[in-house]
Amino acid sequence: MLEHLSVLSPDPILGLAAECRADPNSNKIDLTVGIYMNESGVCPVFHAVREAQQQLVADEITKAYLPAAGDAVYLQSMKSLVFGDELVGDGSKITAIQTPGGCGALRIASEVLAAAAPDATVWISNPTWPVHIPLMGSVGLKFETYSYYDPASHGVDFGNMTNDLKGAKKGDVVLLHGCCHNPSGADLTLEQWAQIADMAEAQGFTVLVDLAYQGMGTNLEADVAGLRLLAGRLGELIVAASCSKNLGLYRERTGVALFFGKDTQTAAATHSHGLGAARRVYSMPPAHGALLAGRVLSDPALRASWESELSEICARMIELRTQLSEKLSEKTNQDFSFISREKGMFSFLGLSVDQARGLRKDRGLYMLDSSRINVAALNEQNMDKVVEAVASVL
Ligand code: LMR
């Protein structure tokens, strides 16, 4: 049977990272996958996570399954990290399902959405993370795209975005990136989030927020101000959150699907659908990452250490953006100041596919075909090499 299968194209992100790993060029630079790298080119373990891990190894007495919904301390901590204590209130209107990473959260959210509104169309930003459509499409949801990024101005094309979203109707879902838009780094302002809330109220669509970078754009609070505004105004919001980046738990696959609902009855029904979906797809979530995240977020000393390290990381990424934008502008006589206005790990350099591929082949500089780079993989060693290589094709 399997001989009938044909070979699929490699994943546009992971495939390139594998190509880079296999490249024997000792000067290669990998700006493909979104992973935070420190000045030594290592993706570090947060001090608080390391400490929590030592505690966990010493304390852990069982490897029995977690409940299908996940670890209670982790779930409570994530509700409050994302929504804040005021919106959480007594928590009875919020359903939380611990998931294997942010992808798992998107999948559980999609399963619940497909159960609630099988004919829903999901509106996705153009461009978006390339996995959104295959991942959410795997439960049978349909898609439309809305304009988002204007390559000419290097910013959000809000006029066309809202124009396109006029087509989103009651029963449709609009997927927004909570912060640090992947792949563009161009985020909505709070005023623009408020205008989306107006549209959602008037048109009746539901908003799903993909939140993979809380704390990596501006800070833990500012990065969720938009989604909190929506939750407060609309009374209904779905969030797929990930701890891969902000807690450095990439390989531990730690995420959560959060359903902010209007009443406790809706929350109970949503919870049952979330549990059913989890059981169908993977049964119970992996424990290790969530147990670490739960400890870090709920223990005051570990929490303070994590927050301080996260804000240093965020500040370093902002500094890398400033340096890259200044060096590129100076070297090319073109305006790259947009890089310092954008947020999080990613920005487009504005190169053509041929230029991006040429840099890969001729210089060992790996970025996506779209010229998306992972700013968080730059450092003092590779910054000038990147600037020089990019300038050579402009
Ligand atoms: C990325 O966009 O590079 C990250 O979100 C990692 C991934 O899974 O694609």
Side-chain angles (χ1 to χ4, degrees):
M1 180 200 280
L2 302 182
E3 68 273 16
H4 300 303
L5 293 174
S6 53
V7 178
L8 297 176
S9 319
D11 179 88
I13 299 175
L14 303 183
L16 263 186
E19 195 181 317
C20 182
R21 274 197 300 278
D23 185 344
N25 180 351
S26 56
N27 292 318
K28 66 191 176 186
I29 299 175
D30 184 355
L31 305 182
T32 58
V33 188
I35 302 178
Y36 174 81
M37 301 289 192
N38 65 16
E39 207 36 54
S40 318
V42 173
C43 174
V45 179
F46 278 79
H47 293 108
V49 168
R50 198 180 285 282
E51 171 60 29
Q53 189 155 260
Q54 277 161 5
Q55 292 178 10
L56 184 62
V57 168
D59 297 352
E60 196 171 51
I61 51 161
T62 182
K63 291 286 187 191
Y65 295 126
L66 283 186
D71 176 66
V73 174
Y74 170 73
L75 294 172
Q76 187 52 42
S77 304
M78 289 305 289
K79 283 184 196 174
S80 121
L81 181 71
V82 171
F83 292 117
D85 290 336
E86 200 181 319
L87 277 174
V88 172
D90 68 4
S92 61
K93 293 184 193 162
I94 305 178
T95 289
I97 307 281
Q98 179 191 322
T99 56
C103 282
L106 283 167
R107 176 62 189 252
I108 294 300
S110 305
E111 297 261 352
V112 173
L113 285 167
D119 295 327
T121 293
V122 183
W123 292 74
I124 305 248
S125 68
N126 179 23
T128 196
W129 183 51
V131 191
H132 276 142
I133 291 183
L135 192 159
M136 299 186 72
S138 63
V139 305
L141 293 165
K142 302 184 297 292
F143 299 94
E144 288 275 356
T145 54
Y146 60 86
S147 307
Y148 186 80
Y149 184 73
D150 174 20
S153 66
H154 301 283
V156 176
D157 184 358
F158 195 65
N160 279 321
M161 174 180 177
T162 47
N163 213 20
D164 292 346
L165 286 179
K166 283 183 191 148
K169 15 180 230 316
K170 189 169 174 54
D172 282 355
V173 178
V174 172
L175 175 66
L176 297 174
H177 298 222
C179 60
C180 309
H181 182 266
N182 180 3
S184 72
D187 280 350
L188 298 175
T189 63
L190 206 49
E191 292 70 32
Q192 290 169 336
W193 281 91
Q195 288 182 53
I196 301 292
D198 293 341
M199 293 181 79
E201 272 173 346
Q203 296 167 224
F205 58 75
T206 296
V207 178
L208 164 64
V209 176
D210 185 353
L211 183 66
Y213 302 93
Q214 184 181 0
M216 315 271 307
T218 305
N219 59 50
L220 281 169
E221 295 292 306
D223 291 350
V224 286
L227 80 81
R228 287 181 184 174
L229 182 149
L230 286 192
R233 288 264 310 269
L234 305 177
E236 180 181 85
L237 188 77
I238 305 168
V239 180
S242 165
C243 299
S244 294
K245 276 85 178 184
N246 60 5
L247 278 132
L249 292 170
Y250 302 83
R251 63 174 62 172
E252 307 296 359
R253 311 310 299 136
T254 311
V256 65
L258 295 162
F259 302 86
F260 189 95
K262 293 194 170 115
D263 52 50
T264 49
Q265 197 184 333
T266 309
T270 307
H271 193 71
S272 71
H273 280 272
L275 286 183
R279 185 63 164 151
R280 284 196 296 280
V281 184
Y282 54 77
S283 278
M284 277 74 67
H288 192 68
L291 296 179
L292 298 179
R295 271 180 197 245
V296 169
L297 295 173
S298 62
D299 176 289
L302 294 179
R303 171 91 180 217
S305 156
W306 168 67
E307 286 194 9
S308 135
E309 197 170 352
L310 181 61
S311 59
E312 278 167 27
I313 284 174
C314 186
R316 179 168 172 266
M317 290 195 331
I318 292 169
E319 174 56 27
L320 287 170
R321 286 186 168 279
T322 307
Q323 279 183 32
L324 181 66
S325 89
E326 284 173 359
K327 283 176 186 267
L328 276 175
S329 301
E330 194 185 314
K331 186 90 183 170
T332 63
N333 281 325
Q334 295 186 23
D335 181 12
F336 279 91
S337 60
F338 63 90
I339 293 177
S340 60
R341 290 192 297 275
E342 291 168 350
K343 305 268 194 225
M345 288 192 165
F346 308 115
S347 276
F348 289 126
L349 290 181
L351 306 183
S352 66
V353 174
D354 284 348
Q355 286 169 324
R357 289 184 181 166
L359 285 173
R360 213 177 291 154
K361 186 163 149 287
D362 302 334
R363 303 281 190 135
L365 173 57
Y366 285 75
M367 64 185 74
L368 304 195
D369 277 352
S370 61
S371 83
R372 184 197 86 167
I373 57 161
N374 173 22
V375 177
L378 294 169
N379 56 44
E380 275 184 24
Q381 305 297 316
N382 64 24
M383 175 78 76
D384 288 342
K385 292 181 195 156
V386 170
V387 169
E388 205 268 314
V390 172
S392 75
V393 296
L394 286 175

Coordinates of all heavy atoms in Angstrom, one line a residue, residues 102 105-106 109-110 113 121-133 135-136 141-148 161 165 168 172-178 181-182 188 193 196 205-211 230 237-240:
G102 N 1.9 24.9 21.2 CA 0.9 25.8 20.6 C 0.1 25.1 19.4 O -1.0 25.4 19.2
A105 N -2.7 23.3 20.8 CA -3.7 24.2 21.2 C -4.5 24.6 20.0 O -5.8 24.7 20.0 CB -3.1 25.4 21.9
L106 N -3.9 24.9 18.9 CA -4.6 25.3 17.6 C -5.5 24.1 17.2 O -6.6 24.3 16.7 CB -3.6 25.7 16.5 CG -3.0 27.1 16.7 CD1 -1.8 27.2 15.7 CD2 -4.0 28.2 16.4
A109 N -8.5 23.8 19.6 CA -9.4 25.0 19.3 C -10.1 24.7 18.0 O -11.3 25.0 17.9 CB -8.6 26.3 19.2
S110 N -9.4 24.2 17.0 CA -10.1 24.0 15.7 C -11.1 22.9 15.8 O -12.2 23.0 15.2 CB -9.0 23.5 14.6 OG -8.0 24.4 14.5
L113 N -14.1 24.4 17.4 CA -14.8 25.4 16.5 C -15.6 24.6 15.5 O -16.7 24.9 15.1 CB -13.7 26.2 15.8 CG -13.2 27.4 16.6 CD1 -11.9 28.0 16.0 CD2 -14.2 28.4 16.9
T121 N -16.0 29.6 8.3 CA -14.8 30.0 7.5 C -13.9 30.7 8.5 O -14.3 31.5 9.2 CB -15.2 31.0 6.4 OG1 -16.1 30.3 5.5 CG2 -14.0 31.5 5.6
V122 N -12.6 30.2 8.4 CA -11.6 30.9 9.2 C -10.9 31.9 8.4 O -10.4 31.6 7.3 CB -10.6 29.8 9.8 CG1 -9.6 30.5 10.7 CG2 -11.3 28.7 10.5
W123 N -10.8 33.1 8.9 CA -10.1 34.2 8.1 C -8.7 34.3 8.7 O -8.5 34.5 9.9 CB -10.9 35.5 8.3 CG -12.2 35.5 7.7 CD1 -13.3 34.8 8.1 CD2 -12.6 36.2 6.5 NE1 -14.4 35.0 7.2 CE2 -13.9 35.9 6.2 CE3 -11.9 37.0 5.6 CZ2 -14.6 36.4 5.1 CZ3 -12.6 37.5 4.5 CH2 -13.9 37.2 4.2
I124 N -7.8 34.2 7.7 CA -6.3 34.1 8.1 C -5.6 35.3 7.5 O -5.8 35.7 6.3 CB -5.8 32.8 7.5 CG1 -6.6 31.6 7.9 CG2 -4.3 32.7 7.8 CD1 -5.9 30.7 8.9
S125 N -4.6 35.8 8.2 CA -3.9 37.0 7.6 C -3.0 36.6 6.5 O -2.5 35.5 6.4 CB -3.0 37.6 8.7 OG -2.0 36.8 9.1
N126 N -2.9 37.5 5.5 CA -1.9 37.2 4.4 C -0.8 38.2 4.5 O -1.0 39.4 4.4 CB -2.7 37.5 3.1 CG -1.7 37.3 1.9 OD1 -0.7 36.6 2.0 ND2 -2.0 37.9 0.8
P127 N 0.4 37.7 4.9 CA 0.8 36.3 5.1 C 0.5 35.8 6.5 O 0.2 36.6 7.4 CB 2.3 36.4 4.8 CG 2.7 37.8 5.4 CD 1.5 38.7 5.1
T128 N 0.7 34.5 6.7 CA 0.7 34.0 8.0 C 1.7 32.9 8.2 O 2.4 32.5 7.2 CB -0.8 33.5 8.4 OG1 -0.9 33.3 9.8 CG2 -1.1 32.2 7.7
W129 N 1.8 32.3 9.4 CA 2.6 31.1 9.6 C 2.1 30.0 8.7 O 0.9 29.7 8.7 CB 2.4 30.7 11.1 CG 3.3 29.6 11.6 CD1 4.6 29.5 11.5 CD2 2.8 28.5 12.4 NE1 5.0 28.3 12.1 CE2 3.9 27.7 12.6 CE3 1.6 28.1 12.8 CZ2 3.9 26.5 13.4 CZ3 1.5 26.9 13.6 CH2 2.6 26.2 13.8
P130 N 3.1 29.4 7.9 CA 2.6 28.4 6.9 C 1.9 27.2 7.4 O 1.3 26.5 6.6 CB 3.9 28.0 6.2 CG 5.0 28.4 7.0 CD 4.5 29.5 7.9
V131 N 1.9 26.9 8.7 CA 1.2 25.7 9.3 C -0.2 26.0 9.6 O -1.0 25.1 9.8 CB 2.0 25.2 10.5 CG1 1.5 23.8 10.9 CG2 3.5 25.1 10.2
H132 N -0.6 27.3 9.7 CA -2.0 27.6 10.1 C -3.1 26.8 9.2 O -4.0 26.2 9.7 CB -2.3 29.1 10.1 CG -1.9 29.8 11.3 ND1 -1.3 31.0 11.3 CD2 -1.9 29.4 12.6 CE1 -1.1 31.4 12.5 NE2 -1.4 30.4 13.3
I133 N -2.9 27.0 7.9 CA -3.9 26.4 7.0 C -3.9 24.9 7.1 O -5.0 24.3 7.3 CB -3.9 27.0 5.6 CG1 -4.3 28.5 5.7 CG2 -4.7 26.2 4.6 CD1 -4.4 29.2 4.4
L135 N -2.9 22.9 9.4 CA -3.2 22.4 10.7 C -4.7 22.6 11.0 O -5.4 21.6 11.3 CB -2.4 23.2 11.8 CG -2.4 22.7 13.2 CD1 -1.2 23.3 13.9 CD2 -3.7 23.0 14.0
M136 N -5.2 23.8 10.7 CA -6.7 24.0 11.0 C -7.5 23.3 9.9 O -8.7 22.9 10.2 CB -7.0 25.5 11.1 CG -6.2 26.1 12.2 SD -6.6 27.8 12.5 CE -8.3 27.7 13.2
L141 N -12.1 22.7 8.4 CA -12.5 24.1 8.4 C -12.1 24.7 7.0 O -11.1 24.3 6.4 CB -11.8 24.9 9.5 CG -12.2 24.5 10.9 CD1 -11.3 25.1 12.0 CD2 -13.7 25.0 11.2
K142 N -12.8 25.7 6.6 CA -12.5 26.4 5.3 C -11.8 27.7 5.6 O -11.9 28.2 6.7 CB -13.8 26.7 4.5 CG -14.7 25.5 4.2 CD -15.9 25.8 3.4 CE -16.9 26.8 4.0 NZ -17.6 26.3 5.2
F143 N -11.2 28.3 4.6 CA -10.4 29.5 4.8 C -10.7 30.6 3.8 O -11.1 30.4 2.7 CB -8.9 29.2 4.7 CG -8.5 28.2 5.8 CD1 -8.5 26.8 5.5 CD2 -8.2 28.6 7.1 CE1 -8.2 25.9 6.4 CE2 -7.9 27.7 8.0 CZ -7.9 26.3 7.7
E144 N -10.5 31.8 4.3 CA -10.4 33.0 3.5 C -9.2 33.8 4.0 O -8.9 33.6 5.2 CB -11.6 34.0 3.6 CG -12.9 33.5 3.0 CD -13.1 33.8 1.6 OE1 -12.2 34.5 1.0 OE2 -14.1 33.4 1.0
T145 N -8.6 34.6 3.2 CA -7.5 35.4 3.7 C -7.9 36.8 3.8 O -8.7 37.3 3.0 CB -6.2 35.2 2.8 OG1 -6.5 35.6 1.5 CG2 -5.6 33.9 2.9
Y146 N -7.3 37.6 4.7 CA -7.5 39.0 4.7 C -6.1 39.7 4.6 O -5.1 39.1 5.0 CB -8.2 39.5 6.0 CG -7.5 39.1 7.3 CD1 -6.5 40.0 7.9 CD2 -7.9 38.0 8.0 CE1 -5.9 39.7 9.1 CE2 -7.2 37.7 9.2 CZ -6.3 38.5 9.8 OH -5.7 38.2 11.0
S147 N -6.1 40.8 3.9 CA -4.8 41.6 3.7 C -4.3 41.9 5.1 O -5.0 42.3 6.0 CB -5.1 42.9 3.0 OG -5.8 42.6 1.8
Y148 N -3.0 41.9 5.2 CA -2.4 42.2 6.5 C -1.1 43.1 6.4 O -1.0 44.1 7.0 CB -2.1 40.9 7.4 CG -1.6 41.3 8.8 CD1 -2.6 41.6 9.7 CD2 -0.3 41.4 9.1 CE1 -2.2 42.0 11.0 CE2 0.1 41.7 10.4 CZ -0.8 42.0 11.3 OH -0.4 42.4 12.6
M161 N -7.1 45.5 5.5 CA -7.5 44.4 6.4 C -9.0 44.5 6.8 O -9.7 43.6 6.7 CB -6.6 44.5 7.7 CG -6.9 43.5 8.8 SD -5.8 43.7 10.2 CE -6.5 42.5 11.3
L165 N -12.1 42.1 6.1 CA -12.9 41.5 7.2 C -14.3 41.9 7.2 O -15.1 41.3 8.0 CB -12.2 41.8 8.5 CG -10.9 41.0 8.7 CD1 -10.2 41.4 10.1 CD2 -11.1 39.5 8.7
A168 N -16.4 38.9 6.9 CA -16.5 37.8 8.0 C -17.9 37.9 8.6 O -18.3 39.0 9.1 CB -15.4 38.0 9.0
D172 N -18.3 32.9 11.6 CA -17.0 32.8 11.0 C -16.0 33.0 12.2 O -16.3 33.5 13.2 CB -16.8 33.8 9.9 CG -17.4 33.4 8.6 OD1 -17.9 32.2 8.5 OD2 -17.4 34.1 7.6
V173 N -14.7 32.7 11.9 CA -13.7 32.9 12.9 C -12.6 33.7 12.3 O -12.2 33.5 11.1 CB -13.1 31.5 13.3 CG1 -11.9 31.6 14.2 CG2 -14.2 30.6 13.8
V174 N -12.1 34.7 13.0 CA -11.0 35.5 12.5 C -9.8 35.2 13.4 O -9.8 35.3 14.6 CB -11.3 37.0 12.6 CG1 -10.1 37.9 12.3 CG2 -12.5 37.4 11.6
L175 N -8.8 34.7 12.7 CA -7.5 34.3 13.4 C -6.6 35.5 13.5 O -6.2 36.1 12.4 CB -6.8 33.2 12.7 CG -5.5 32.8 13.3 CD1 -5.5 32.2 14.7 CD2 -4.8 31.7 12.3
L176 N -6.2 36.0 14.7 CA -5.3 37.1 14.8 C -4.1 36.6 15.6 O -4.2 35.6 16.4 CB -5.9 38.2 15.7 CG -7.2 38.9 15.1 CD1 -7.8 39.8 16.1 CD2 -6.9 39.6 13.8
H177 N -2.9 37.2 15.3 CA -1.7 36.9 16.1 C -1.7 37.8 17.3 O -1.8 39.0 17.1 CB -0.5 37.1 15.2 CG -0.4 36.2 14.0 ND1 0.7 35.6 13.5 CD2 -1.4 35.9 13.1 CE1 0.5 34.9 12.4 NE2 -0.8 35.1 12.1
G178 N -1.6 37.3 18.5 CA -1.7 38.1 19.7 C -0.6 39.2 19.7 O -0.9 40.3 20.1
H181 N 3.7 39.3 15.2 CA 3.1 38.6 14.0 C 4.2 37.8 13.3 O 5.3 38.3 13.0 CB 2.5 39.7 13.1 CG 1.8 39.0 11.9 ND1 2.5 38.9 10.7 CD2 0.6 38.6 11.7 CE1 1.6 38.3 9.8 NE2 0.5 38.1 10.4
N182 N 3.8 36.5 13.1 CA 4.7 35.6 12.4 C 4.1 35.4 11.0 O 3.0 34.8 10.9 CB 4.8 34.3 13.1 CG 5.7 33.3 12.5 OD1 6.3 33.5 11.5 ND2 5.7 32.1 13.1
L188 N -0.7 45.0 15.4 CA -1.8 45.9 15.4 C -1.5 46.8 16.6 O -1.0 46.4 17.7 CB -3.1 45.2 15.7 CG -3.6 44.2 14.6 CD1 -4.8 43.5 15.0 CD2 -3.8 45.0 13.2
W193 N -6.9 47.1 17.5 CA -7.6 46.0 18.2 C -9.0 46.4 18.6 O -9.9 45.7 18.4 CB -6.8 45.6 19.5 CG -5.6 44.7 19.3 CD1 -4.3 45.1 19.1 CD2 -5.6 43.2 19.2 NE1 -3.5 44.0 19.0 CE2 -4.2 42.9 19.0 CE3 -6.6 42.3 19.3 CZ2 -3.9 41.5 18.9 CZ3 -6.2 40.9 19.2 CH2 -4.8 40.6 19.0
I196 N -11.2 46.2 15.6 CA -11.6 44.8 15.3 C -12.7 44.4 16.3 O -13.6 43.7 15.9 CB -10.3 43.9 15.5 CG1 -9.2 44.3 14.5 CG2 -10.7 42.4 15.3 CD1 -9.5 44.1 13.1
F205 N -18.7 37.8 14.3 CA -17.7 36.8 14.1 C -16.9 36.5 15.5 O -17.0 37.3 16.4 CB -16.7 37.1 13.0 CG -15.9 38.3 13.1 CD1 -14.8 38.5 14.0 CD2 -16.2 39.4 12.3 CE1 -14.1 39.6 14.0 CE2 -15.5 40.6 12.3 CZ -14.4 40.7 13.2
T206 N -16.3 35.3 15.5 CA -15.6 34.9 16.7 C -14.1 35.1 16.5 O -13.6 34.9 15.3 CB -15.9 33.4 17.0 OG1 -17.2 33.3 17.3 CG2 -15.0 32.9 18.1
V207 N -13.3 35.5 17.5 CA -11.9 35.7 17.3 C -11.1 34.6 18.0 O -11.4 34.2 19.1 CB -11.4 37.1 17.8 CG1 -9.9 37.3 17.6 CG2 -12.2 38.2 17.1
L208 N -10.2 34.0 17.2 CA -9.2 33.1 17.7 C -7.8 33.8 17.7 O -7.4 34.3 16.6 CB -9.2 31.8 16.9 CG -8.0 30.9 17.0 CD1 -7.9 30.2 18.4 CD2 -8.1 29.7 16.0
V209 N -7.1 33.8 18.8 CA -5.8 34.4 18.9 C -4.7 33.4 19.0 O -4.8 32.5 19.9 CB -5.8 35.4 20.1 CG1 -4.4 36.0 20.2 CG2 -6.8 36.5 20.0
D210 N -3.8 33.4 18.1 CA -2.6 32.6 18.3 C -1.6 33.4 19.1 O -1.1 34.4 18.6 CB -2.1 32.2 16.9 CG -0.9 31.2 16.9 OD1 -0.4 30.9 18.0 OD2 -0.5 30.8 15.8
L211 N -1.2 32.9 20.3 CA -0.4 33.6 21.2 C 0.9 32.8 21.4 O 0.9 32.0 22.4 CB -1.1 33.9 22.5 CG -0.4 34.8 23.5 CD1 -0.1 36.2 23.0 CD2 -1.2 34.8 24.8
L230 N -10.2 42.5 23.6 CA -11.3 41.8 22.9 C -12.1 40.9 23.9 O -13.3 40.9 23.8 CB -10.7 40.8 21.9 CG -10.1 41.4 20.6 CD1 -9.8 40.3 19.6 CD2 -11.1 42.4 20.0
L237 N -13.8 34.6 23.5 CA -12.5 34.7 22.8 C -11.8 33.3 23.0 O -11.9 32.7 24.0 CB -11.6 35.8 23.4 CG -10.3 36.1 22.7 CD1 -10.6 36.9 21.4 CD2 -9.3 36.8 23.5
I238 N -11.2 32.9 21.9 CA -10.4 31.7 22.0 C -8.9 32.0 21.8 O -8.6 32.8 20.9 CB -10.9 30.7 20.9 CG1 -12.4 30.5 21.1 CG2 -10.2 29.3 21.0 CD1 -13.1 29.8 19.9
V239 N -8.1 31.4 22.7 CA -6.7 31.7 22.6 C -5.9 30.3 22.5 O -6.2 29.4 23.3 CB -6.2 32.5 23.8 CG1 -4.7 32.8 23.7 CG2 -6.9 33.8 23.9
A240 N -5.0 30.2 21.6 CA -4.0 29.1 21.5 C -2.7 29.6 22.0 O -2.1 30.4 21.3 CB -4.0 28.5 20.1

